Each structure stands twice: as C-alpha cells, then as structure tokens.
C-alpha cells in the first residue's frame, strides 16, 4: 500500500564529523501516520493506537 | 446537589476509603525507560532504553500525596547497536559490573486535581545521588481493557546532565552531556 506522508525535518546541520573530519549532514525527521490507512488494523485501539509517531535520526556522509 | 445525595455518597464511601493510599506495581514490559542524547556535537539524536525495570508507586489521589520507587537494571541497556552496548556497559559509562542498578526515589509528587503531573526526587546512578524533577503527562487510571485489572499509566520525562553523576566520557564530541529521559509507565493496582 502506498500513501502520502509528510516528514518534518528539524535540527538539520552539516559540517565535519568530529573524529574522521569527513563532511556530513545530520537531522531528525519525524512524521505521524495512521497505520490503518496502510491496512495495518490489528489491535486498534485496545492493544495499540492507530496513530504512530515515527522518528528517523539521520546521519549521512557526503560522497 | 441535594442533601440526601451527599448522605448517600458518604455512606457508600466512608472517609477511610476516600483517603486510602493505593499501591501500584510497575508493569515492566510497558515501562521501559528510554534515553536520548545528541550524537557528534548535534548531527543527530540517538536513543536507547533499559529493558528491565521494577518498582512501586504509592498514590493517595484524594490527599494529593504519594511516592515513587523505581529500580532500573543497568545491565539491560540497549542502544540498537551491539558494539555500542558493550561500550555503554563498560567502565567509562554505566560500569554495570560495579553498579548493576540505578534508582529513582520520590516522596514529593505534584498533582493537578487528582492527576499526577510531576515528581521531585533523587536519581542514584554510579553511586551518586542527585535531585531530578520528573514531569508527568498523560496520567490516566482505569481498567486494563483485556484483563480488567485497575491500572494507571503515564509518561514521565526529565532532562539531566550526566556529568553531574560523574559520567563524563565522550562529552561533547561523541555524545552530549545533556540526556533526555522518557519513561512510559504502566502500573497495576495491588
């Protein structure tokens, strides 16, 4: 199932990794989805909520 | 409200039960403390948790009093990376061989009405005891939907500077001094 999701990006920062000095960027990406929209309906609402908060900490080295 | 109503209420709930202190026992599976630090001077936030926790919460919601006793098994630390777990269990960080537990104790709970909203207490980590203020949100009590047992749940958060407990390794290049703690709590009434 493919559905649209809007991700919010905070704490975006680029610079040198402090140990190996390679250029990198980092950020925190978050989104809140309703899992039932993808057909994952099990356990709603008693066992676990429909609403799911997703956190994606990201670090990426420049190639 | 009419007088007979209050009389009925007073007969149904004598003062002794209204003022009673209740004991809630931590349900460990859904009460795993989480932590969050900044990595590499702020490139990302990294998280982990402790898988083993036990404790009791005494609540007297009518008197707006109570206490909390939590014990966290430091050997149960998990960072989602096995190599890092070994570092965190080592001498520079939690030194779990010497300090297998950390504790939080509070007998100063804050209420808004009958809702728990905070707790001022003391965190003992690496055998150092310092004050920590927990903020409590989403406090709710009711029946567990499946087994119908009475329980309360909440989310407690605090931000600490780990160096105050002597855990100074890696600050600030590797990981931050500031640690954000998030404690989801579910506890059954005894």
């Amino acid at each position: 199932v493919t559905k649209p999701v809007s991700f919010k990006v905070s704490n975006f920062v680029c610079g040198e990794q402090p140990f190996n000095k390679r250029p990198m960027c980092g950020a925190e990406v978050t989104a809140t989805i309703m899992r039932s929209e993808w057909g994952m309906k099990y356990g709603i609402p008693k066992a676990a909520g429909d609403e799911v908060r997703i956190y994606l900490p990201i670090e990426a080295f420049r190639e | 409200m009419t007088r007979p109503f209050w009389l009925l209420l007073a007969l149904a709930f004598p003062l002794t039960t209204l003022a009673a202190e209740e004991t809630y026992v931590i349900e460990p599976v859904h009460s795993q403390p989480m932590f969050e630090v900044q990595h590499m001077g702020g490139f990302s936030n990294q998280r982990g948790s402790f898988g083993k926790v036990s404790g009791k919460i005494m609540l007297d919601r009518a008197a707006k009093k109570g206490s909390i006793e939590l014990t966290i098994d430091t050997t149960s630390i998990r960072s989602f990376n096995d190599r890092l777990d070994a570092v965190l269990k080592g001498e520079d960080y939690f030194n779990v061989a010497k300090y297998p537990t950390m504790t939080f104790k509070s007998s100063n709970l804050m209420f808004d009405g009958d809702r728990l909203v905070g707790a001022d207490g003391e965190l003992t980590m690496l055998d150092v005891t310092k004050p920590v203020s927990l903020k409590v949100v989403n406090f709710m009590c009711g029946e567990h939907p499946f087994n119908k047992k009475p329980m309360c749940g909440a989310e407690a958060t605090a931000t600490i500077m780990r160096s105050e407990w002597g855990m100074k390794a890696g600050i600030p290049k590797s990981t931050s001094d500031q640690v954000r703690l998030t404690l989801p709590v579910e506890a059954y009434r005894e």
Side-chain angles (χ1 to χ4, degrees), chain A residues 11 13 15-19 24 26-28 46 55 57-59, chain B residues 36 38-47 145-146 148 173-174:
Chain A
N11 299 332
V13 52
E16 272 184 359
Q17 204 261 25
F19 295 104
M24 75 182 313
E28 171 111 335
K46 272 185 167 183
Y55 296 85
I58 305 261
E59 290 186 8
Chain B
E36 180 181 323
Q38 287 189 332
H39 186 226
M40 300 279 186
F43 278 109
S44 68
N45 295 326
Q46 294 297 316
R47 298 176 177 86
F146 297 110
K148 305 296 178 194
K173 270 186 165 183
S174 175

Side-chain angles (χ1 to χ4, degrees), chain A:
Chain A
V1 178
T2 303
K3 295 267 182 181
V5 172
S6 290
F7 292 97
K8 188 185 160 199
V9 178
S10 62
N11 299 332
F12 179 77
V13 52
C14 293
E16 272 184 359
Q17 204 261 25
F19 295 104
N20 63 26
K21 304 297 179 192
R22 287 168 61 193
M24 75 182 313
C25 294
E28 171 111 335
V29 181
T30 56
T32 301
I33 64 168
M34 303 302 274
R35 61 188 174 98
S36 61
E37 290 181 18
W38 282 264
M40 192 192 289
K41 294 176 180 170
Y42 186 80
I44 298 172
K46 272 185 167 183
D50 190 359
E51 186 175 298
V52 181
R53 187 162 162 77
I54 300 170
Y55 296 85
L56 298 92
I58 305 261
E59 290 186 8
F61 284 110
R62 194 169 80 203
E63 220 170 33

